[in-house]
């Protein structure tokens, strides 16, 4: 496992850019001359709740570089469970890790997921590069479509595996923007499609967090029966508000996150 948090995030970022070319354009659009104007609020990772690769196995990589567990979230309709983690240094990105509750899914889906996870070498899970190692299996495009009909989340994992599902621009740190509406308008003017599930803006000042996101890029995946373009990763935008105690809110809002998951839905 990495011993340095910055190296880990650099590797995750480079891996994310490989399938999310629009992220570079977002940076150019929102940043001023200083590239460090664009601060990452959080990243999200996906997995399955199977012993070999459960949420805790992914979290171990972050705990090793100074993160601690902070909150937990339940998404009953999507059959997901999640936790978020924060670093002792508040300038480091937060981490949101979710897992699909496989046993709640159909037998067909369970079978496919078990077959995929069985192909992962036990040692790979603790290796430095696991969080950006992609897929350790190959499925057919037909299988992908069958998974998609039941769980977009499972289909995305089948195509992309272990990598950051999204990075998030901290609007609080942007020099030129004060509101999420301004950021959304700038993106739309530049031709970006936003995730409108649950409205363009998820959350509100009342819940101390507002979020929006682009729709995932389409990128090519080499399936066992050919190459097909499917939704890859997206970019999220978050504006956080002060709590009554004067400290900025660092958690997540389940109702909003539920809709953010839909940024990878096929359009």
């Amino acid at each position: 496992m990495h011993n340095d948090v910055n190296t880990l995030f650099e590797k995750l970022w480079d891996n994310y850019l490989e399938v999310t070319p629009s992220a570079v354009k977002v940076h150019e659009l929102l940043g001023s001359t200083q590239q460090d104007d664009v601060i990452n609020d959080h990243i999200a990772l996906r997995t399955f709740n199977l012993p070999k690769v459960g949420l805790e196995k992914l979290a171990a990589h972050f705990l090793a570089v100074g993160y601690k567990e902070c909150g937990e979230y339940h998404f009953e309709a999507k059959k997901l469970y999640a936790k978020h983690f924060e670093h002792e240094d508040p300038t480091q990105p937060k981490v949101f890790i979710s897992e699909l509750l496989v046993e709640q899914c159909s037998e067909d889906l369970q079978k496919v997921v078990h077959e995929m996870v069985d192909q992962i070498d036990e040692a790979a899970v603790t290796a430095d590069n696991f969080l950006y190692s992609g897929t350790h299996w190959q499925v057919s495009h037909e299988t992908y479509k069958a998974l998609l009909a039941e769980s977009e989340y499972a289909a995305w994992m089948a195509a992309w595996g272990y990598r950051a599902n999204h990075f998030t621009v901290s609007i609080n740190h942007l020099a030129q923007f004060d509101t999420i509406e301004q950021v959304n308008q700038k993106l739309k003017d530049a031709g970006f499609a936003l995730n409108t599930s649950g409205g363009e803006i998820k959350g509100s000042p009342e819940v101390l967090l507002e979020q929006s996101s682009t729709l995932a890029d389409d990128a090519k995946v080499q399936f066992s029966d050919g190459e097909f373009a499917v939704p890859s990763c997206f970019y999220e935008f978050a504006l956080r508000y002060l709590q009554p105690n004067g400290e900025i809110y660092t958690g997540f809002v389940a109702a909003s996150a539920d809709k953010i998951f839909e940024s990878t839905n096929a359009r």
Side-chain angles (χ1 to χ4, degrees), residues 14-266:
D14 291 344
N15 174 254
Y16 164 79
L17 287 185
E18 285 172 17
V19 299
T20 322
S22 66
V24 177
K25 296 185 197 132
V26 169
H27 260 244
E28 290 164 359
L29 200 62
L30 301 182
S32 58
T33 46
Q34 260 81 32
Q35 191 58 353
D36 52 359
D37 202 7
V38 179
I39 301 287
N40 180 22
D41 178 85
H42 72 272
I43 66 163
L45 293 149
R46 296 178 174 187
T47 192
F48 303 110
N49 72 333
L50 302 179
K52 193 193 277 186
V53 294
L55 191 160
E56 304 301 337
K57 293 288 171 71
L58 274 62
H61 289 263
F62 294 102
L63 299 178
V65 291
Y67 277 80
K68 61 184 194 297
E69 191 179 304
C70 289
E72 61 169 358
Y73 311 88
H74 299 271
F75 303 95
E76 271 131 36
K78 289 185 171 63
K79 304 181 169 72
L80 304 174
Y81 172 70
K83 287 182 178 179
H84 99 265
F85 301 80
E86 295 178 29
H87 196 268
E88 55 211 15
D89 169 1
T91 64
Q92 292 291 353
K94 289 165 278 295
V95 174
F96 187 89
I97 306 175
S98 56
E99 60 182 9
L100 181 67
L101 306 175
V102 179
E103 72 284 352
Q104 293 184 15
C105 301
S106 71
E107 282 184 17
D108 287 349
L109 184 145
Q110 290 184 47
K111 184 168 175 289
V112 173
V113 169
H114 279 279
E115 282 170 3
M116 292 193 306
V117 172
D118 285 347
Q119 293 175 60
I120 303 174
D121 181 351
E122 205 79 59
V125 181
T126 52
D128 271 5
N129 71 341
F130 182 64
L131 298 177
Y132 45 91
S133 62
T135 54
H136 297 247
W137 53 75
Q138 217 180 24
V139 298
S140 68
H141 188 240
E142 288 304 311
T143 299
Y144 169 83
K145 287 193 293 192
L147 291 173
L148 192 59
E150 180 175 347
S151 166
E152 181 282 323
Y153 186 104
W156 188 92
M157 275 300 296
W160 299 109
Y162 293 94
R163 61 192 330 134
N165 169 263
H166 62 270
F167 275 70
T168 309
V169 173
S170 168
I171 298 173
N172 298 69
H173 290 88
L174 292 177
Q176 306 161 297
F177 302 89
D178 301 312
T179 69
I180 194 164
E181 285 86 357
Q182 291 169 343
V183 170
N184 288 351
Q185 196 56 53
K186 181 88 173 174
L187 291 161
K188 287 189 289 188
D189 290 348
F192 282 95
L194 298 186
N195 167 355
T196 56
S197 175
E200 247 172 44
I201 299 171
K202 292 96 172 92
S204 65
E206 290 70 40
V207 296
L208 306 177
L209 176 63
E210 290 181 310
Q211 295 164 277
S212 65
S213 59
T214 62
L215 287 173
D217 283 356
D218 276 342
K220 287 182 175 150
V221 173
Q222 190 59 53
F223 290 98
S224 61
D225 52 351
E227 193 179 65
F228 297 87
V230 300
S232 58
C233 305
F234 60 95
Y235 220 146
E236 189 188 315
F237 312 91
L239 182 62
R240 295 179 176 278
Y241 289 86
L242 293 177
Q243 302 175 95
N245 66 6
E247 289 180 14
I248 202 150
Y249 178 68
T250 57
F252 293 86
V253 179
S256 303
D258 186 72
K259 301 300 181 198
I260 291 283
F261 278 117
E262 295 172 25
S263 302
T264 47
N265 285 8

